[in-house]
Amino acid sequence: MDHLEYCDRLGVAVDDFATALDGADLTITVPTCPKWTVADLVVHLGQIHRWAEALVRELAPERIKTGRHATPDDDLVAWLREGGDALVATLRAADPDAPMWSWAGDHHVRFWSRRQLHETSIHQADAFLALGLPIAFDAAVAADSIDELLDVLPSAAYFAPDVSGLSGNGETIHLHATDTPDAPGIGEWLITLRSDGYDYAHGHAKGDVAVRAALSDLDLLMWNRVPLADDRFEVFGDTALLERWLASAAL
């Protein structure tokens, strides 16, 4: 996907999220973020959207403070939509190749269109799990979400120190989507742990551990939104290796 497609999909995600929350009980606890209610989750995401919008609008050369906090007078669903729409508009108007600060390796505007799509989608999943709503990410979004996670994890150590444990001695983890049969190698990943971190490649290969599931569910698993013990996953080989990865990769 390119920058404008990320913007398009982010706009859809914001709209879907806000529409699903309209009339919902925002006091429900979020099981994947147990210290938060759905309202807390909405506030967090709305603040992230406003922060990212300011970063891109200013082409900030360094990290700046977060955006406006919600107030008791705000309609949180409208507030979420307002911030998300402003973010999409600012991203659309920006040059994707313009240099700016980011917390990962790609220091350009294009980092933020991709990052905010997946930030929004995963937190949408958090809310939907809390509210008992079905989750099924588009295949392109789910596949890119896994790629993006694997791309940014090494840079996340400053706020998620456990990612420093994502290393090893050549052990391999294979992810296999079961719902992309017409595109061999698409929806498959091989992660190889090295002494100084890991690398990954697309394609079919035998791993020390393999997990098979629908692509959307693999995405939720890799982001630690659904437990490995859930019966939607088939696991073959060294389960402890995959459990160690998931524990270290939790963001």
Side-chain angles (χ1 to χ4, degrees):
M1 286 187 279
D2 63 15
H3 171 71
L4 289 179
E5 187 171 358
Y6 285 125
C7 292
D8 290 343
R9 290 179 179 272
L10 174 58
V12 171
V14 168
D15 183 64
D16 287 349
F17 196 175
T19 299
L21 291 176
D22 194 21
D25 182 356
L26 304 187
T27 67
I28 293 173
T29 298
V30 179
T32 48
C33 306
K35 295 182 180 180
W36 286 354
T37 64
V38 175
D40 295 327
L41 179 68
V42 171
V43 168
H44 167 76
L45 186 59
Q47 289 171 353
I48 291 291
H49 285 167
R50 286 164 171 79
W51 174 60
E53 190 277 331
L55 282 166
V56 174
R57 175 167 33 85
E58 298 176 18
L59 295 179
E62 59 187 25
R63 185 185 180 96
I64 62 176
K65 292 183 179 180
T66 57
R68 179 179 79 82
H69 289 232
T71 72
D73 295 329
D74 283 312
D75 175 330
L76 287 183
V77 176
W79 184 80
L80 176 69
R81 190 186 294 276
E82 175 188 65
D85 289 348
L87 172 61
V88 172
T90 296
L91 283 166
R92 283 185 186 282
D95 175 0
D97 296 325
M100 63 172 293
W101 177 84
S102 80
W103 56 264
D106 187 355
H107 298 284
H108 298 88
V109 165
R110 60 179 175 262
F111 169 85
W112 289 102
S113 55
R114 187 188 197 198
R115 176 82 287 277
Q116 289 306 300
L117 168 61
H118 299 310
E119 177 86 8
T120 302
S121 295
I122 291 300
H123 283 321
Q124 181 184 24
D126 290 325
F128 280 26
L129 287 166
L131 297 170
L133 300 174
I135 306 163
F137 294 130
D138 176 87
V141 171
D144 191 71
S145 178
I146 294 172
D147 282 351
E148 198 240 8
L149 176 66
L150 294 172
D151 290 341
V152 303
L153 270 175
S155 300
Y158 81 97
F159 64 85
D162 287 347
V163 302
S164 61
L166 297 175
S167 60
N169 297 293
E171 301 95 332
T172 53
I173 299 168
H174 181 56
L175 312 178
H176 187 125
T178 56
D179 52 350
T180 55
D182 297 328
I186 302 300
E188 297 194 56
W189 292 259
L190 186 72
I191 303 166
T192 303
L193 300 177
R194 308 294 188 194
S195 60
D196 58 349
Y198 66 88
D199 54 36
Y200 76 95
H202 292 278
H204 186 70
K206 181 175 175 57
D208 293 311
V209 61
V211 56
R212 288 169 47 89
L215 183 52
S216 185
D217 291 331
L218 284 179
D219 184 27
L220 292 171
L221 175 70
M222 292 298 285
W223 282 95
N224 277 278
R225 266 44 190 195
V226 178
L228 182 61
D230 192 286
D231 61 10
R232 72 189 78 184
F233 302 111
E234 292 183 282
V235 183
F236 307 91
D238 187 355
T239 302
L241 172 61
L242 182 54
E243 290 172 338
R244 178 168 71 85
W245 168 279
L246 293 170
S248 296
L251 296 181

